[in-house]
Each structure stands twice: as C-alpha cells, then as structure tokens.
Amino acid sequence: MNGAERLRARGLRVTRPRLAVLEVLAEGGHLEVEEIARRVRARLESVSTQAVYDVLAALSRAGLARRLEPAGSPARYEARTGDNHHHVVCRGCGEIGDVDCAVGAAPCLEPSTSHGFMIDEAEVTFWGLCGACQSRRVED
Ligand SMILES: [Zn+2]
Ligand SMILES: [Zn+2]
C-alpha cells in the first residue's frame, strides 16, 4: 500500500503534509519531531513544526506511527507499529534500537499482581550503553 492508501484505509484524509511525514518515517529509525520537520520541509516548503506535531498526533491515533518517549529525552516517532516491539536506549547518547517482542503481542509480561486491572500492555525499555559510548568510556 502506498501512503495515500494507508491513510484512506485508516479513515484519514490524504494531505500532502501527511504523505510527507509518512515518507520520512518510512526512512526508518526513531526520529525527533525537529528532525521529521526538517526532512518534511526538504520535500514541502512552508510546513510549520506545529503542523508536523498535528500530523504525527493524527498518524499515531490511527496506528500509522508510534510515539515513544524515553525518560529524559524528547518524544520520538517511528513507522514500525502494531508489533509490540521494545526499545533499547543508550544512557550516554540516547541512541535507540528496536528489540523484537519475544511473545509478539501485548502484554508480553505477566505482572506479579494486576491490582484488578485488565492489563493490555507492558512498556519495556532496556537501558544501557551503546557500543560507541562503551569505547568512549574506556578511553576516558
Ligand atoms: Zn551511546
Ligand atoms: Zn522502535
């Protein structure tokens, strides 16, 4: 499916900013809004950062983008949705990697107590130091 078809399939109107954001996200990675806005403006001039925020909110609600917000860093967005994958985040530089969910469906962890809640998701973030930050630390 191309971008327009994916938008229509989720009941969203097709607009050039929405198509541009989908294209940028399809390039991969976990991108900050400023970076997404910069790449969108390379395709379409005169799209405000606020417009990009609005598009990302609509795409997230529709399940076409996933928002993640590791503690202490700005929100990031990615195109990979619906597979309950997790993230590994570097404490040194903020680098983020995808970690496939071993179970594949939420919630993949069983809590020791649910407090009577019907649990539908476990948000798992692995924290550590990436390879580059480990070698930097050895040099220091
Ligand atoms: Zn790092
Ligand atoms: Zn991811």
Side-chain angles (χ1 to χ4, degrees), residues 29-30 66 68 77-80 83 85-87 96-99:
H30 304 85
R66 177 168 162 186
L68 55 148
Y77 288 86
E78 64 179 329
R80 191 175 160 185
D83 62 355
H85 76 272
H86 308 302
H87 294 104
I96 298 178
D98 284 334
V99 179

Short mmCIF file of all heavy atoms in Angstrom, two decimals, residues 29-30 66 68 77-80 83 85-87 96-99, ligand 2:
data_model
loop_
_atom_site.label_atom_id
_atom_site.label_comp_id
_atom_site.label_asym_id
_atom_site.label_seq_id
_atom_site.Cartn_x
_atom_site.Cartn_y
_atom_site.Cartn_z
N GLY A 29 14.13 4.37 11.61
CA GLY A 29 14.68 4.99 12.80
C GLY A 29 13.62 5.55 13.73
O GLY A 29 12.42 5.38 13.49
N HIS A 30 14.10 6.18 14.78
CA HIS A 30 13.25 6.77 15.81
C HIS A 30 13.57 8.25 15.82
O HIS A 30 14.60 8.65 16.35
CB HIS A 30 13.55 6.13 17.16
CG HIS A 30 13.41 4.63 17.13
ND1 HIS A 30 14.43 3.81 16.73
CD2 HIS A 30 12.37 3.83 17.42
CE1 HIS A 30 14.01 2.55 16.77
NE2 HIS A 30 12.77 2.53 17.18
N ARG A 66 4.21 5.35 15.62
CA ARG A 66 4.28 5.03 17.04
C ARG A 66 5.12 6.09 17.73
O ARG A 66 6.18 6.45 17.24
CB ARG A 66 4.89 3.65 17.22
CG ARG A 66 5.07 3.27 18.69
CD ARG A 66 5.39 1.80 18.83
NE ARG A 66 5.96 1.53 20.14
CZ ARG A 66 6.45 0.35 20.51
NH1 ARG A 66 6.43 -0.66 19.68
NH2 ARG A 66 6.96 0.19 21.71
N LEU A 68 7.27 7.25 20.98
CA LEU A 68 7.93 6.75 22.18
C LEU A 68 8.60 7.91 22.87
O LEU A 68 9.00 8.88 22.25
CB LEU A 68 8.92 5.62 21.87
CG LEU A 68 10.02 5.84 20.85
CD1 LEU A 68 11.25 5.03 21.25
CD2 LEU A 68 9.55 5.39 19.48
N TYR A 77 9.33 9.43 17.04
CA TYR A 77 8.29 8.72 16.30
C TYR A 77 8.93 7.73 15.34
O TYR A 77 10.03 7.96 14.84
CB TYR A 77 7.42 9.71 15.51
CG TYR A 77 6.52 10.52 16.38
CD1 TYR A 77 6.98 11.69 16.97
CD2 TYR A 77 5.22 10.10 16.64
CE1 TYR A 77 6.15 12.44 17.80
CE2 TYR A 77 4.39 10.85 17.46
CZ TYR A 77 4.86 12.01 18.04
OH TYR A 77 4.04 12.74 18.86
N GLU A 78 8.21 6.64 15.09
CA GLU A 78 8.71 5.64 14.15
C GLU A 78 7.54 5.06 13.37
O GLU A 78 6.38 5.16 13.79
CB GLU A 78 9.42 4.52 14.90
CG GLU A 78 8.51 3.73 15.82
CD GLU A 78 9.23 2.62 16.54
OE1 GLU A 78 10.19 2.08 15.97
OE2 GLU A 78 8.84 2.29 17.66
N ALA A 79 7.88 4.43 12.25
CA ALA A 79 6.85 3.87 11.37
C ALA A 79 6.45 2.46 11.79
O ALA A 79 5.41 1.97 11.40
CB ALA A 79 7.36 3.84 9.93
N ARG A 80 7.31 1.81 12.58
CA ARG A 80 7.06 0.41 12.93
C ARG A 80 5.99 0.34 14.03
O ARG A 80 6.25 0.71 15.18
CB ARG A 80 8.38 -0.21 13.39
CG ARG A 80 8.32 -1.70 13.51
CD ARG A 80 9.68 -2.27 13.85
NE ARG A 80 9.50 -3.60 14.41
CZ ARG A 80 10.46 -4.35 14.90
NH1 ARG A 80 11.70 -3.92 14.91
NH2 ARG A 80 10.20 -5.55 15.39
N ASP A 83 3.46 -4.20 16.39
CA ASP A 83 4.12 -5.48 16.64
C ASP A 83 4.61 -5.62 18.08
O ASP A 83 5.29 -6.57 18.42
CB ASP A 83 5.30 -5.68 15.67
CG ASP A 83 6.38 -4.62 15.86
OD1 ASP A 83 6.18 -3.70 16.66
OD2 ASP A 83 7.42 -4.73 15.18
N HIS A 85 6.94 -4.22 19.62
CA HIS A 85 8.40 -4.33 19.85
C HIS A 85 8.83 -3.35 20.94
O HIS A 85 8.12 -2.41 21.29
CB HIS A 85 9.18 -4.12 18.55
CG HIS A 85 9.27 -2.70 18.08
ND1 HIS A 85 8.32 -2.12 17.27
CD2 HIS A 85 10.21 -1.74 18.27
CE1 HIS A 85 8.67 -0.88 17.00
NE2 HIS A 85 9.82 -0.61 17.61
N HIS A 86 9.98 -3.65 21.50
CA HIS A 86 10.50 -2.87 22.62
C HIS A 86 11.71 -2.07 22.15
O HIS A 86 12.10 -2.15 20.98
CB HIS A 86 10.87 -3.81 23.76
CG HIS A 86 9.76 -4.74 24.12
ND1 HIS A 86 8.52 -4.29 24.52
CD2 HIS A 86 9.68 -6.09 24.08
CE1 HIS A 86 7.73 -5.33 24.75
NE2 HIS A 86 8.40 -6.44 24.48
N HIS A 87 12.31 -1.33 23.09
CA HIS A 87 13.44 -0.49 22.72
C HIS A 87 14.59 -0.65 23.69
O HIS A 87 14.38 -0.88 24.88
CB HIS A 87 13.01 0.97 22.64
CG HIS A 87 12.04 1.20 21.52
ND1 HIS A 87 10.70 1.38 21.72
CD2 HIS A 87 12.25 1.21 20.17
CE1 HIS A 87 10.10 1.49 20.54
NE2 HIS A 87 11.01 1.40 19.58
N ILE A 96 18.76 4.74 20.06
CA ILE A 96 17.66 3.81 20.32
C ILE A 96 17.69 2.68 19.31
O ILE A 96 17.89 2.91 18.12
CB ILE A 96 16.29 4.52 20.21
CG1 ILE A 96 16.19 5.62 21.27
CG2 ILE A 96 15.14 3.53 20.35
CD1 ILE A 96 14.89 6.41 21.19
N GLY A 97 17.51 1.46 19.78
CA GLY A 97 17.42 0.31 18.89
C GLY A 97 16.13 -0.44 19.14
O GLY A 97 15.56 -0.38 20.23
N ASP A 98 15.65 -1.13 18.11
CA ASP A 98 14.45 -1.96 18.26
C ASP A 98 14.82 -3.32 18.82
O ASP A 98 15.85 -3.89 18.47
CB ASP A 98 13.79 -2.17 16.90
CG ASP A 98 13.03 -0.93 16.44
OD1 ASP A 98 12.61 -0.14 17.30
OD2 ASP A 98 12.86 -0.79 15.22
N VAL A 99 13.97 -3.83 19.68
CA VAL A 99 14.12 -5.18 20.22
C VAL A 99 12.81 -5.90 19.95
O VAL A 99 11.76 -5.47 20.44
CB VAL A 99 14.39 -5.15 21.74
CG1 VAL A 99 14.52 -6.56 22.28
CG2 VAL A 99 15.63 -4.32 22.05
ZN ZN B 2 11.12 1.08 17.51
#
